[in-house]
Amino acid sequence: HELLRQLGIYLASQRKLPEAIRYLQQAAESPQIDKRSPTYVMLMRELGILYVITGQPKPAADAYAIVFAALQQPGDYGLDLK
């Protein structure tokens, strides 16, 4: 999932947004990623940004809901907000 995430970030930096979203989605759906991990929260943040940029409000809201939940309950996601 980390390589997929890195590819997605690289493609986003190259303005290849549909491809970037596809790789980031694959990373988020990977069975190896812990859905309660800081990495997953960052992945959802990155996807949320790309969804907003590409005019996809529903998937953006879904991604940001996970980020918001992590900010509300950081311990549940292994985050230390200090």
Side-chain angles (χ1 to χ4, degrees):
H1 63 81
E2 187 56 36
L3 182 57
L4 291 169
R5 180 174 175 256
Q6 289 175 2
L7 279 168
I9 291 168
Y10 171 76
L11 289 168
S13 74
Q14 299 298 307
R15 303 279 188 230
K16 297 179 180 178
L17 302 184
E19 295 91 344
I21 289 171
R22 188 171 58 248
Y23 280 106
L24 291 175
Q25 286 172 332
Q26 288 177 12
E29 294 166 4
S30 169
Q32 287 84 22
I33 194 165
D34 178 1
K35 304 258 190 285
R36 294 284 194 166
S37 69
T39 301
Y40 186 72
V41 174
M42 289 302 299
L43 195 50
M44 290 296 102
R45 178 187 166 274
E46 292 154 358
L47 273 169
I49 291 167
L50 293 179
Y51 287 139
V52 168
I53 291 169
T54 58
Q56 300 179 64
K58 172 68 170 109
D62 293 342
Y64 283 136
I66 293 166
V67 176
F68 182 74
L71 291 173
Q72 294 298 306
Q73 298 294 324
D76 292 351
Y77 293 85
L79 298 175
D80 182 5
L81 299 182
K82 294 180 184 175

